[in-house]
Amino acid sequence: FANNRVQKFSSTGAYITQWGIGGTGDGQFDGPKGIVVDDSGNVYVADSGNDRIQKFSVSGDYVTKWGSFGAQAGNFNDPCGLAVDASGNIYVADSGNHRVQKFTSAGSVLTTWGANGAGNAQFVNPRDVAVDWAGNIYVADSGNHRVQKFDASRTFVTKWGTNGTAAGQFADPKGICVDSAGNVYVSDTGNDRVQKFTPSGSWLAGWNTTGSGDGEFLGPLGIEIDEAGNILVSDGGNHTVEAFLH
């Protein structure tokens, strides 16, 4: 984010390469907040301060970009988390516009949904989005301290979470991902923890200790599952990435 770049590492954390500097040109960034990789290895970056998405090859070569500041379909206001579905379509948590947008891999807008509010299918600054193998869509509805689930046609299915510190509650959740079994993992940022749920939102587990040691968090942000099932957490306040066994 603050270094305006993307860094690539091996599964064991060995540095491989990096690209990007601060700016508005192709391959430059202004506070990037989200990243996702498709099945072909293409890398999509939510270039948040520039209100756009940029696409790169697996080696970091610039491919294309789309988006500009605004509220129309295809515009952005602080785009954050990204997800990709089985067809290669890209989902964007368009945080400042309180909505989710769906695009082709080339950047053509397919659909958009959501509005500012606390009702079903409404959002307050959604920060991340995830898609499971069946096409169900999960949104970290950060400002409402909850997760919302939609089916592949964007129909509201369920929601869970309220503001608080108990199991199943959240404080500004900013990251979400889904494993191969459909279980949902949430970076509960304000509570310095990760929580795990069933696909319908039943609480399964959680782990948290505020601090800077191994297995401790200070404002965890993005969260992903790798091909081996390991859970990778971007620990924002500690400027680290932590990996946990599935």
Side-chain angles (χ1 to χ4, degrees):
F1 174 78
N3 284 325
N4 296 307
R5 65 183 178 185
V6 170
Q7 294 195 70
K8 179 179 177 180
F9 300 86
S10 73
S11 60
T12 58
Y15 171 83
I16 296 175
T17 189
Q18 67 181 35
W19 66 91
I21 59 172
T24 60
D26 296 345
Q28 298 179 334
F29 303 112
D30 182 8
K33 290 181 180 177
I35 191 168
V36 73
V37 181
D38 67 18
D39 287 342
S40 299
N42 297 302
V43 182
Y44 301 81
V45 181
D47 186 9
S48 303
N50 286 320
D51 297 300
R52 65 185 180 184
I53 306 301
Q54 293 197 68
K55 179 180 178 179
F56 301 87
S57 72
V58 66
S59 58
D61 296 321
Y62 171 82
V63 175
T64 191
K65 65 186 176 189
W66 68 88
S68 59
F69 178 76
Q72 299 300 312
N75 292 150
F76 299 112
N77 182 355
D78 190 25
C80 292
L82 304 176
V84 60
D85 66 18
S87 299
N89 299 308
I90 306 300
Y91 297 74
V92 183
D94 186 9
S95 184
N97 284 321
H98 312 290
R99 65 185 180 183
V100 173
Q101 297 198 70
K102 178 182 178 181
F103 300 86
T104 68
S105 60
S108 297
V109 63
L110 294 173
T111 190
T112 179
W113 74 97
N116 190 13
N120 296 341
Q122 294 182 327
F123 307 111
V124 175
N125 298 124
R127 290 295 300 266
D128 203 6
V129 59
V131 183
D132 68 15
W133 60 271
N136 296 302
I137 304 150
Y138 301 82
V139 181
D141 186 8
S142 302
N144 283 318
H145 310 288
R146 65 185 181 182
V147 170
Q148 293 196 66
K149 178 180 179 179
F150 304 85
D151 67 18
S153 62
R154 297 176 287 108
T155 301
F156 173 82
V157 176
T158 190
K159 64 187 175 186
W160 66 89
T162 57
N163 189 17
T165 60
Q169 294 185 315
F170 302 111
D172 191 21
K174 289 182 177 175
I176 193 165
C177 67
V178 185
D179 67 17
S180 59
N183 298 308
V184 181
Y185 298 77
V186 182
S187 288
D188 186 8
T189 305
N191 285 321
D192 296 320
R193 65 184 177 184
V194 170
Q195 297 195 69
K196 178 182 178 182
F197 301 87
T198 68
S200 59
S202 296
W203 187 87
L204 291 174
W207 59 99
N208 72 300
T209 301
T210 300
S212 57
D214 293 344
E216 298 178 335
F217 300 117
L218 187 60
L221 299 171
I223 185 169
E224 291 293 343
I225 305 280
D226 68 15
E227 291 182 353
N230 298 309
I231 304 153
L232 307 175
V233 183
S234 173
D235 188 6
N238 286 317
H239 309 286
T240 60
V241 173
E242 295 195 70
F244 300 85
L245 295 177
H246 188 266

